[in-house]
C-alpha cells in the first residue's frame, strides 16, 4: 500500500511501534556502547515518536470527549507519547554517560523536507 493511502491513525501507530522497536533493539545490548548505526536508530526512533505524537494529537483533536472514537484516539496518543518518551529517556541516558553527542544527529539523519 502506498504511504499516501495509509490512514493518519495507522501511520501514527506504525511510527510509535517502529520507534519502540528501535529502542528495544538498542537496549537489548548487554553492554553500554553506541556506534553510528545505533545512534542513527535512536534518532530515527525519536523522530518516529515525535511524528506519532503530532499525528495522534491531530486525530484526538478531531474528536469530542464523548465521541465513540475518542477512547481509541487517546490510546493512540498514549502509545505515541510512550514511544517518544522512551527514545528521549534513552538519549538522555546515553548523553549522561558521555556515549552520545547530540550534535551527531545532523550528520546521521538528513533533514526531512
Amino acid at each position: 500500500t502506498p504511504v499516501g493511502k495509509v490512514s493518519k491513525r495507522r501511520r501514527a501507530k506504525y511510527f510509535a511501534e517502529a520507534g519502540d522497536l528501535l529502542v528495544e533493539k538498542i537496549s537489548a545490548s548487554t553492554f553500554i556502547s553506541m556506534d553510528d548505526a545505533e545512534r542513527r536508530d535512536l534518532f530515527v526512533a525519536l523522530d518516529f515518536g515525535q511524528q506519532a505524537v503530532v499525528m495522534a494529537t491531530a486525530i484526538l483533536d478531531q474528536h469530542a470527549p464523548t465521541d465513540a472514537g475518542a477512547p481509541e484516539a487517546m490510546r493512540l496518543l498514549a502509545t505515541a507519547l510512550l514511544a517518544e518518551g522512551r527514545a528521549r529517556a534513552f538519549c538522555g541516558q546515553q548523553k549522561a554517560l558521555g556515549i552520545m553527542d547530540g550534535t551527531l544527529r545532523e550528520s546521521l539523519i538528513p533533514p526531512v523536507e
Side-chain angles (χ1 to χ4, degrees):
T1 305
V3 174
K5 302 273 185 188
V6 178
S7 72
K8 187 180 281 191
R9 183 180 306 266
R10 188 169 287 172
R11 279 186 292 173
K13 186 174 185 233
Y14 289 161
F15 276 128
E17 290 173 353
D20 237 12
L21 180 66
L22 288 169
V23 170
E24 286 294 326
K25 177 183 151 213
I26 294 165
S27 64
S29 299
T30 56
F31 58 93
I32 297 175
S33 74
M34 191 161 272
D35 60 16
D36 282 351
E38 286 180 329
R39 283 185 190 96
R40 183 200 61 236
D41 287 349
L42 184 53
F43 290 133
V44 169
L46 180 56
D47 285 341
F48 281 179
Q50 291 170 331
Q51 290 181 47
V53 168
V54 168
M55 285 185 248
T57 301
I59 291 166
L60 185 59
D61 287 346
Q62 295 173 355
H63 293 282
T66 56
D67 285 354
E72 183 183 344
M74 285 189 272
R75 279 192 298 276
L76 178 60
L77 180 57
T79 300
L81 286 167
L82 180 61
E84 180 185 6
R86 290 186 73 214
R88 284 187 182 280
F90 207 86
C91 284
Q93 176 191 29
Q94 298 302 309
K95 191 166 184 175
L97 292 170
I99 296 170
M100 183 172 73
D101 178 2
T103 61
L104 289 175
R105 181 176 190 164
E106 291 77 25
S107 64
L108 293 172
I109 297 180
V112 178
E113 295 181 20

